[in-house]
Amino acid sequence: NNIKRKFSLLEEMMKYFCKLIILILALSLLVACQSEQEKKNSFIKRANQYYAQNELKKAEIELKNALKIDPANAEATFLLAETLFKLGDLRNAYAMYTKAVELDPENMAAKLKLAEFLFWGKQSEQAMDHLIEILEADPENVGALQLKAQIFVTKQFYQKAYVVYEQILKVAPDNVIALQNMAKVKDIQKDPAAAESLLLKAVQSDPENIKIYASMVAFYLKYNQVQKAEKVVLKAVETNPDSELAYILKGHFYTNQSDFDNAEKAYLLAIKTEKNVSRSYLILARLYEKAQQRPKALEAYTKASEAEPDNLSIKNLIARFYFESQEVEKSLALIDQMLKQRPGYYPARLLKAE
C-alpha cells in the first residue's frame, strides 16, 4: 500500500510539473509574440517619423525590418511603396503598390498610384479599370478625376476630358491644374478667348504659382501677343519678388526675345534670392554659352558646382565644357575625379570614351 501511495504521489507530481512546463512555454510564446509585435510597431513608428523628415533611406530600412516580422502588414507595405517611389526605385515601388492593393483592396491611394504607373506605361485601359473602381467608391476623388481626364486627352477625346475637368471644379473650384488643362482643351478646340479666360482665372486662384504665369506667357507668345506676355512676366515678378522661379521666367522670356541684357539681369536676380542657386547659375551659364561668352559661362558653371559640390551631373557639364573647348587634360582630370567618387557613373564614363 505504501508503494502504491508513493507511485500515486509521484504520478500527481509528474502531472503537475507537465502542466507547469506547458504553462511556462505558453507564457514564453506569448511574451515572444508580444515582443515581436512591439518590435514591428516600433519599426513602423520610426519609419513614419523618418518619412515625414524626408530621411527616406532610413525609413526604407525600418519598413523592411517591420515586414520581416509581418510580411502581410498593409500599412508598412504601402509606406514602403511610397518611400521607394520618392527614392526613384520605380520598379520595386510598383511591386509594393501592387502588394498593398492585394493586402488592402480598399486602399484607394495605392490603387491610384497603380493607375498612374499603368498610364505612364501606356496601358490606359488597365489604368481606367482602377480609376473606375476608385470613383465608384469616391466619386469626388480629385486625383482619380485628373488622371481620367488626362487619359481622355491622350486619346484626343477633348470634350470628354473637359467634362471631367468641370467635375473637378465642382469639388475644388480653385483647382488650377483643372483650369490650366481646360484652357489647353479650349485652345486645341480653336477657342483662344475661352482659353485666355480660364488661364486668367487660374492666376487669380493661385497667384504664387509661377507655372501658371509660364502657361499664360507661352499662350500669348503662341499668338504673337508679346506685350501681353511681357505684362504677365512682370506681374509674376511683382507678385512674387522673393521667388527665383519668377526671375527665371523673366529671363526665359527675354532670352526668347533675344534680349540678352535683360535676360542676364533676370537670372542674376534669381541667384540673389539664394533659392536653388545652382539651377540659376546653370541657366545663366547656358545663356553665356549661347552668347559666345565662354569665360563667363565657365564661371557660372563653377559657381553652380560650388553650390552643390556633390552633384556629379554639374561636374560632368563642366567636364564636357572643357572637352568642347579643346581643354582635354582638364576634362580628363575632372572625369577621373568623378569616377573616383562614383566608379560606375555612366555619363562620366561615356564622356571619357568620347
Side-chain angles (χ1 to χ4, degrees):
N1 286 337
N2 286 336
I3 293 170
K4 283 183 180 180
R5 281 198 299 272
K6 286 179 180 178
F7 273 113
S8 177
L9 182 61
L10 185 60
E11 189 177 355
E12 288 298 321
M13 289 176 67
M14 289 295 291
K15 285 180 181 179
Y16 172 77
F17 281 119
C18 285
K19 287 179 181 178
L20 185 61
I21 289 168
I22 291 168
L23 180 61
I24 290 169
L25 289 172
L27 286 171
S28 298
L29 185 61
L30 180 62
V31 169
C33 288
Q34 286 178 335
S35 177
E36 289 294 281
Q37 180 73 15
E38 287 169 1
K39 279 184 186 177
K40 179 192 73 176
N41 291 339
S42 179
F43 286 137
I44 295 173
K45 183 180 178 181
R46 283 201 297 271
N48 275 293
Q49 291 170 345
Y50 285 136
Y51 184 84
Q53 295 163 2
N54 208 37
E55 295 188 60
L56 300 175
K57 289 303 292 183
K58 289 182 179 179
E60 180 187 6
I61 292 167
E62 298 293 337
L63 290 164
K64 285 180 176 178
N65 286 333
L67 289 170
K68 283 177 186 176
I69 297 170
D70 181 8
N73 187 281
E75 180 190 358
T77 301
F78 177 64
L79 187 56
L80 180 58
E82 295 277 79
T83 302
L84 293 169
F85 181 79
K86 280 194 171 184
L87 284 167
D89 187 353
L90 301 184
R91 180 180 295 181
N92 286 317
Y94 177 75
M96 286 295 106
Y97 283 125
T98 303
K99 188 178 176 183
V101 171
E102 289 171 359
L103 293 171
D104 180 10
E106 302 303 313
N107 188 332
M108 297 304 158
K111 276 189 180 177
L112 181 56
K113 269 296 193 324
L114 277 182
E116 289 173 357
F117 269 102
L118 291 165
F119 173 69
W120 297 331
K122 298 184 179 179
Q123 299 180 58
S124 296
E125 297 303 322
Q126 294 92 321
M128 190 65 85
D129 289 340
H130 283 297
L131 294 176
I132 289 168
E133 290 179 14
I134 295 167
L135 292 170
E136 280 178 356
D138 179 11
E140 296 185 347
N141 188 306
V142 172
L145 287 169
Q146 285 176 339
L147 185 56
K148 183 179 180 181
Q150 203 171 349
I151 290 171
F152 284 144
V153 169
T154 58
K155 292 187 173 186
Q156 298 185 353
F157 297 157
Y158 298 119
Q159 193 53 41
K160 285 186 177 182
Y162 195 88
V163 170
V164 177
Y165 288 129
E166 287 182 319
Q167 286 179 262
I168 293 171
L169 292 181
K170 287 177 183 176
V171 179
D174 295 329
N175 188 292
V176 294
I177 295 174
L179 289 166
Q180 278 183 282
N181 287 321
M182 287 169 78
K184 287 178 185 176
V185 169
K186 284 299 180 186
D187 195 28
I188 290 167
Q189 293 176 331
K190 310 295 183 186
D191 190 351
E196 181 182 21
S197 177
L198 287 161
L199 286 170
L200 287 168
K201 187 176 178 182
V203 169
Q204 290 168 0
S205 298
D206 189 0
E208 295 180 3
N209 190 329
I210 304 302
K211 287 182 180 179
I212 305 171
Y213 292 103
S215 293
M216 283 207 75
V217 171
F219 172 79
Y220 285 133
L221 290 178
K222 178 182 176 181
Y223 292 101
N224 295 315
Q225 296 179 314
V226 177
Q227 287 184 335
K228 280 190 173 183
E230 187 173 23
K231 283 182 181 179
V232 172
V233 168
L234 297 177
K235 183 68 176 176
V237 172
E238 180 188 345
T239 310
N240 302 278
D242 298 322
S243 168
E244 86 282 9
L245 292 175
Y247 294 110
I248 288 171
L249 174 62
K250 187 177 181 180
H252 286 353
F253 170 78
Y254 287 120
T255 299
N256 178 272
Q257 298 301 305
S258 300
D259 186 342
F260 173 86
D261 290 339
N262 277 320
E264 181 186 29
K265 288 175 185 175
Y267 293 139
L268 288 170
L269 287 170
I271 291 165
K272 281 188 178 180
T273 65
E274 297 183 352
K275 296 172 184 173
N276 207 334
V277 171
S278 60
R279 173 172 57 188
S280 298
Y281 271 123
L282 288 175
I283 295 169
L284 182 61
R286 294 187 192 104
L287 177 72
Y288 287 139
E289 281 197 88
K290 190 175 180 181
Q292 300 298 312
Q293 296 190 16
R294 296 187 69 79
K296 280 191 171 184
L298 178 58
E299 183 183 356
Y301 277 129
T302 303
K303 286 182 177 178
S305 185
E306 288 170 357
E308 282 190 64
D310 295 327
N311 190 322
L312 294 186
S313 63
I314 298 176
K315 283 187 170 68
N316 199 61
L317 285 171
I318 298 172
R320 180 164 290 281
F321 181 89
Y322 283 135
F323 174 62
E324 291 172 354
S325 302
Q326 306 299 314
E327 296 184 74
V328 178
E329 287 185 9
K330 288 183 179 179
S331 180
L332 283 171
L334 193 51
I335 289 169
D336 288 339
Q337 182 185 326
M338 285 187 283
L339 292 175
K340 185 178 180 180
Q341 187 175 340
R342 194 188 303 172
Y345 185 56
Y346 181 76
R349 294 175 67 184
L350 181 63
L351 182 56
K352 189 170 187 177
E354 287 184 53

